[in-house]
Amino acid sequence: MLESLRLSAQTSSPVQNYINYLHDKYINLKEGNVADYIPELAKVYPDWFGICLASVDGKIYEVGDTNQSFTIQSISKAFAYGIALEDNGLDKVIDKVSVEPSGDAFNSISLEEGSGRPFNPMINAGAIAVVNLIQGVTPEQKFNRILERFSQYAGRALSLDRNVYESESKTGDRNRAIAWMLKNFNIIEAHQDPMNAIDAYFRQCSIAVNCRDLALMGATLANSGTNPLTGQVCLEPKYVTNVLSVMGTSGMYNYAGEWVFRVGLPAKSGVGGGIVAVLPGRLAISVFSPRLDKLGNSVRGIAVCSDLSANFDLHLFNAPTSTSPIRLSHNASQVSSSRLRSPIEVDFLSKQGQRIRLYELQGNLTFSTTEICVREIVEGVKGIDFLIIDFKRVLGIDPAACWLLANLFENLTESDSFEVVLTHLDSVRPFEDYIQEKCSDRLSQKVKLFIENDFAIEWCETQLISRELSPLHLLEEFCPLQEQQLCVGLSEEEIRCLHSFLELRSYSADDVICHKGEKADEVFFLLKGEVMVVISLQDGKQKRLATITPGMAFGEIPLVGIFERTADIIVPRHSECYVLSKVQFERLSVEQPALKGKILTNLCRILFERLRKANKEIEFLCH
Ligand code: GLN
């Protein structure tokens, strides 16, 4: 249906253009009549027409008479229900007012058989019982609380339309009858005066709002109870679902069933001509147009909401299919850390690296998406000892997802040798809190946290090596010249000769061996300790490109030409190197051409191996 729409682009916003289009489309729809059972309402200009859309992040689209004030009427019932829930708690409110759709008109004189409870808070009987539950004894006390709260929802001070209130009170005997009936069934209790509740109810219905106010009130519900513009909490989040539920089942009088069927959004309408519909987590739509159909709903309001829902697929039962939040998964033999290790370790990790598996997660973690993820992990966990989960691209996590992941980790770490390692946990603070507050001490102590995957993989590799290779191997911290990678194939004589060209240098922790941009005129053979090659990123953070371990050379570029350094080389702990200066290398080239040839051949091999590793990793990372 959408493709066939060719909207004249009046603004650059497609959403604004669409509501403009709906306004044009329905401006000539003049079916229905304004409510006249309250004389003051009959005076309203019937052709007012405003449409407003407010998003949970505070964007407002509006067209038509969105500043025109009108009385909120029955729409107030949904918001008053929220206040009663906060004042009394759910159990006490349910005790007095049920939540069953009645299928009756809003003003029907009917109560549940036996209990005498009104069927739901959206019909008059329920709404009057709800006002009775709101804090305060006198009508003024109750009304002040309602007005203050409604003003917070709207983000501005609202006021009473006194004429409508008086007119409503004068003609409100049917509602008075309902109130007395509630007293008869002890829904309004013996010590309470039903006329206090009824007066507060008439006032509540006569609060003047405009279409924009209604959209913001709805958007506040869509935004878990917090006004998107002012940031004010207007309803405790735990009650928002309750309010939306009764709007969903009973908000549109005896059109509620068809409304859910066609539009599929919790909504509330009022005889003043307003309708507000809520798409939880996203937005609210409000429409003001006073001509009502036989059931008391705004004719244009229903038309606009139906079109919006159909064209933009807003029906809540039309939820998108959940997809796996696993963006990428690989093991450490496919992508290893940037710690450049000795050939024995490299060989070991190429065979055993699959015991370390990393999962990169993305998107919103809810029950639906996380169930897919934990299932894949459970099915793939055989043969894994180290599980790394990367949360960098996770946008949000809800309590159900926290529970699923925490429960998975609790189970996996029952085996002492199983390690769970989490990275970028700063993207999912609620999960960090969950682990600290809700998980066993064993798990919260056992889980390892790293800021980057590279360091997490390195830690797992080192653990695996120290578990499986001789622990002595890790202690072999010193690599003499004859065992250096650049010296493979050199005779003892050639080693002695090379030695005479070298200078021994030691560095302490935090020394910087060279800076990016400096002229490269020295080659280093690392004998002891470790050095890190790092670059600074645009955000000021540093990114490790490699950690060099004993036996490897670094800064080799002067062996092949005159270049600048492309990264910083820093020293995390005490280290020792042999240094071959460019000048000495040139001397060696003249005096020992065969030795130079062997060193360059070794360099080619090393660079080729690094290139092969990089190519292999790109293959896995570019899925
Ligand atoms: N004041 C109105 C009444 O109780 C509210 C009704 C409505 O909007 N449906 O009659």
Side-chain angles (χ1 to χ4, degrees):
M1 181 138 66
L2 254 190
E3 294 93 285
S4 62
L5 284 179
R6 288 277 174 273
L7 306 185
S8 54
Q10 297 157 15
T11 74
S12 58
S13 159
V15 178
Q16 183 65 51
N17 286 333
Y18 186 72
I19 63 167
N20 291 354
Y21 156 81
L22 287 181
H23 193 266
D24 287 351
K25 178 173 173 188
Y26 290 118
I27 193 115
N28 291 321
L29 175 59
K30 301 214 167 154
E31 283 165 26
N33 297 301
V34 301
D36 56 5
Y37 75 101
I38 297 170
E40 197 60 28
L41 287 184
K43 296 183 187 165
V44 164
Y45 176 59
D47 291 336
W48 294 123
F49 187 20
I51 305 173
C52 191
L53 223 98
S55 71
V56 289
D57 52 358
K59 172 69 189 170
I60 294 180
Y61 301 94
E62 52 189 320
V63 58
D65 306 311
T66 52
N67 282 323
Q68 176 58 43
S69 94
F70 57 95
T71 51
I72 188 166
Q73 296 297 338
S74 269
I75 300 171
S76 64
K77 294 168 179 172
F79 299 92
Y81 185 54
I83 304 176
L85 288 170
E86 279 194 350
D87 286 354
N88 301 273
L90 183 59
D91 290 347
K92 193 157 171 227
V93 175
I94 289 275
D95 217 37
K96 296 285 186 191
V97 184
S98 181
V99 287
E100 286 305 325
S102 70
D104 292 333
F106 67 90
N107 56 1
S108 101
I109 303 189
S110 56
L111 298 175
E112 193 179 68
E113 225 178 285
S115 71
R117 287 185 304 174
F119 286 102
N120 63 67
M122 302 290 109
I123 54 169
N124 289 8
I128 296 164
V130 161
V131 179
N132 185 59
L133 287 167
I134 290 176
Q135 266 173 26
V137 177
T138 64
E140 287 75 23
Q141 287 167 343
K142 285 179 183 294
F143 177 65
N144 286 341
R145 178 156 170 71
I146 294 167
L147 186 65
E148 187 191 358
R149 186 54 70 87
F150 282 23
S151 298
Q152 291 170 352
Y153 270 105
R156 71 178 183 106
L158 300 177
S159 58
L160 181 72
D161 183 327
R162 194 153 280 282
N163 294 338
V164 173
Y165 160 61
E166 280 164 8
S167 181
E168 179 138 5
S169 180
K170 251 186 231 148
T171 54
D173 287 342
R174 188 182 174 98
N175 284 326
R176 287 191 184 87
I178 292 173
W180 283 111
M181 196 176 66
L182 291 171
K183 175 135 184 178
N184 176 60
F185 283 97
N186 200 39
I187 299 298
I188 294 179
E189 293 177 11
H191 66 280
Q192 296 172 320
D193 181 351
M195 291 305 102
N196 283 344
I198 206 73
D199 192 45
Y201 170 75
F202 290 149
R203 295 185 204 207
Q204 165 194 308
C205 290
S206 307
I207 291 175
V209 291
N210 61 36
C211 194
R212 194 185 152 97
D213 295 329
L214 277 190
L216 268 170
M217 293 174 83
T220 301
L221 291 177
N223 192 34
S224 306
T226 298
N227 182 305
L229 289 185
T230 64
Q232 169 112 38
V233 177
C234 304
L235 181 60
E236 283 178 49
K238 66 174 175 181
Y239 295 125
V240 171
T241 322
N242 301 138
V243 171
L244 291 175
S245 301
V246 291
M247 288 168 73
T249 52
S250 321
M252 299 296 287
Y253 315 127
N254 33 344
Y255 184 69
E258 191 158 345
W259 172 269
V260 171
F261 191 84
R262 293 192 186 283
V263 181
L265 299 172
K268 188 71 203 89
S269 71
V271 291
I275 292 186
V276 61
V278 179
L279 179 59
R282 283 305 315 137
L283 52 84
I285 304 160
S286 67
V287 183
F288 167 52
S289 171
R291 290 182 197 270
L292 310 179
D293 62 17
K294 288 200 178 61
L295 302 178
N297 294 311
S298 163
V299 175
R300 287 170 177 165
I302 288 184
V304 167
C305 291
S306 303
D307 276 17
L308 267 163
S309 174
N311 278 309
F312 292 141
D313 264 346
L314 304 184
H315 198 298
L316 278 180
F317 295 166
N318 196 5
T321 309
S322 303
T323 51
S324 172
I326 299 175
R327 179 177 177 269
L328 200 71
S329 162
H330 55 75
N331 65 45
S333 71
Q334 294 162 329
V335 178
S336 56
S337 76
S338 49
R339 184 176 192 89
L340 302 178
R341 296 178 181 275
S342 69
I344 302 175
E345 292 177 351
V346 169
D347 181 56
F348 170 79
L349 288 173
S350 73
K351 294 184 188 118
Q352 297 295 320
Q354 66 227 31
R355 291 162 64 183
I356 303 167
R357 180 160 277 280
L358 181 142
Y359 291 88
E360 270 185 34
L361 305 187
Q362 68 182 0
N364 273 313
L365 300 183
T366 60
F367 173 82
S368 315
T369 53
T370 311
E371 184 275 331
I372 303 171
C373 158
V374 294
R375 184 198 323 154
E376 284 186 33
I377 294 176
V378 168
E379 283 165 6
V381 83
K382 221 165 155 270
I384 292 175
D385 298 302
F386 297 87
L387 174 68
I388 306 174
I389 308 279
D390 172 9
F391 290 94
K392 185 173 182 179
R393 292 181 175 79
V394 170
L395 301 172
I397 186 164
D398 74 2
C402 288
W403 185 87
L404 288 174
L405 286 172
N407 192 269
L408 172 71
F409 299 160
E410 293 270 15
N411 293 341
L412 293 174
T413 54
E414 260 167 28
S415 149
D416 282 340
S417 59
F418 196 96
E419 300 287 352
V420 171
V421 179
L422 309 180
T423 69
H424 297 109
L425 209 57
D426 52 330
S427 322
V428 278
R429 287 260 178 252
F431 189 49
E432 192 169 356
D433 297 343
Y434 191 94
I435 293 175
Q436 293 308 327
E437 289 157 21
K438 305 243 168 77
C439 292
S440 66
D441 287 349
R442 185 180 53 85
L443 185 71
S444 47
Q445 280 155 24
K446 178 141 194 183
V447 163
K448 302 276 174 313
L449 308 182
F450 286 90
I451 44 167
E452 266 190 51
N453 293 350
D454 190 26
F455 292 107
I457 299 174
E458 178 186 9
W459 181 84
C460 297
E461 288 169 347
T462 305
Q463 293 294 309
L464 192 58
I465 289 168
S466 70
R467 270 187 207 172
E468 305 279 326
L469 281 179
S470 154
L472 279 180
H473 168 81
L474 278 178
L475 298 175
E476 272 175 26
E477 271 258 274
F478 183 80
C479 183
L481 190 57
Q482 63 272 23
E483 287 171 27
Q484 294 278 321
Q485 290 183 359
L486 275 183
C487 300
V488 172
L490 265 59
S491 67
E492 274 179 37
E493 180 56 38
E494 284 170 320
I495 291 288
R496 264 197 302 279
C497 174
L498 174 62
H499 191 257
S500 67
F501 287 85
L502 302 175
E503 174 200 336
L504 182 64
R505 218 181 274 170
S506 47
Y507 294 97
S508 16
D510 297 334
D511 279 352
V512 179
I513 298 181
C514 51
H515 290 101
K516 182 178 173 194
E518 280 173 8
K519 194 164 156 246
D521 52 10
E522 289 178 326
V523 183
F524 302 82
F525 297 73
L526 185 65
L527 302 174
K528 191 173 169 197
E530 65 182 51
V531 300
M532 263 169 44
V533 184
V534 296
I535 47 167
S536 299
L537 302 177
Q538 271 174 357
D539 60 7
K541 288 191 191 138
Q542 288 205 317
K543 165 94 185 133
R544 164 171 85 159
L545 297 183
T547 289
I548 312 281
T549 57
M552 280 161 214
F554 59 94
E556 315 91 331
I557 202 81
L559 297 181
V560 289
I562 301 169
F563 293 99
E564 285 178 356
R565 296 284 181 212
T566 53
D568 298 341
I569 297 182
I570 60 175
V571 184
R573 60 193 170 94
H574 173 79
S575 299
E576 285 173 17
C577 305
Y578 275 131
V579 183
L580 176 62
S581 70
K582 178 94 182 147
V583 176
Q584 292 290 32
F585 179 64
E586 273 156 13
R587 218 187 88 213
L588 180 140
S589 308
V590 177
E591 294 174 16
Q592 302 287 338
L595 178 53
K596 174 198 171 181
K598 285 187 181 174
I599 291 176
L600 287 184
T601 306
N602 282 332
L603 179 64
C604 281
R605 185 179 38 78
I606 294 166
L607 294 181
F608 174 71
E609 275 163 16
R610 285 190 201 159
L611 186 61
R612 197 161 57 170
K613 175 175 184 285
N615 288 352
K616 197 173 92 181
E617 293 183 357
I618 289 169
E619 197 181 315
F620 284 105
L621 295 174
C622 285
H623 281 183

